[in-house]
Amino acid sequence: MPTKQLHRVLHTLSNHWVGDGFPVRTLLAYGNGLDELQSPFLLLDYAGPHQFPPTTQRRGVGPHPHRGFETVTIVYDGEVEHRDSSGAGGKIGPGDVQWMTAASGLVHEEFHGREFAQRGGRFEMVQLWVNLPAKDKMNPPGYQGILNSQIPAVELPDGQGRVRVIAGEFDGASGPARTHTPINVWDMRLNAGRNLDVDVTDGHSTVLVVLKGEVQVNGAQTLHEAQAGLFELAGSRIHLASATDASILLLSGEPLDEPVVGQGPFVMNTMQEIRQAMSDYKDGKMGKL
Ligand code: MN
């Protein structure tokens, strides 16, 4: 198997609060001249870990629109409640995933779960934006609430760790998420002092996101907490070695090879489509909460 070489390590791109509930580090963002190596993944925000005191207030972010892509929220600690203008909604907790397809557009709100907010505690989650191919951007919106119990967890041999398959396939286990293009989303734990070879599809984009710990790639560069590595499209085998226990996300997918034009909560293919999205939102065509 030809080695898939690491192209670039991205350091935290920005550090900010989303509303008053999500202290995020942006580890991946589109429009940095490397879109081809991360397509169809647009953006990844790592929220927390952060300790919240108990409150009777709602913490989070109020109604806002999206069009043209999907938001994938993976909760590690705490609870997230979501409600959108298509009528979908739900609460997810540790290990659960919310896969929201904004497509032609919706308005949603994202808050901490009420019980979690009242008791306070540790909060940690990831939100990943996955682009849609042009032909699916104006489909009706969709929502998949995926529970921890529905996500297969593959134990790796020799105590190497564990892979939760959220989307795509790993070692014969299929993830529950329905995707529009071929994508793997693997939520992995690597145990200290172990080595692991993973194979991804030759020609697919690959993003290695280190949430905790440190991971050495292909016997060379080491990625630390809150760093993302972008790989070359060619090649398929990646060698990982973790000196510490590590928590990582390994994302891979077929690049879309379409122009990416985005502004705020909208990601389309042309500026004209962005202007249309803004005016459709203003005219209430994405619905109301
Ligand atoms: Mn949102």
Side-chain angles (χ1 to χ4, degrees), residues 214-234:
E214 48 188 60
V215 178
Q216 191 193 45
V217 178
N218 295 332
Q221 230 166 328
T222 298
L223 271 70
H224 300 272
E225 178 183 309
Q227 289 185 336
L230 297 183
F231 287 78
E232 301 291 345
L233 296 179

Side-chain angles (χ1 to χ4, degrees), residues 18 61-62 64-66 71 82 100 106 108-110 127 129 265:
V18 175
V61 52
H64 60 278
H66 292 291
T71 64
H82 152 96
M100 188 189 81
L106 45 64
H108 79 155
E109 57 178 31
E110 299 161 276
Q127 188 169 87
W129 290 12

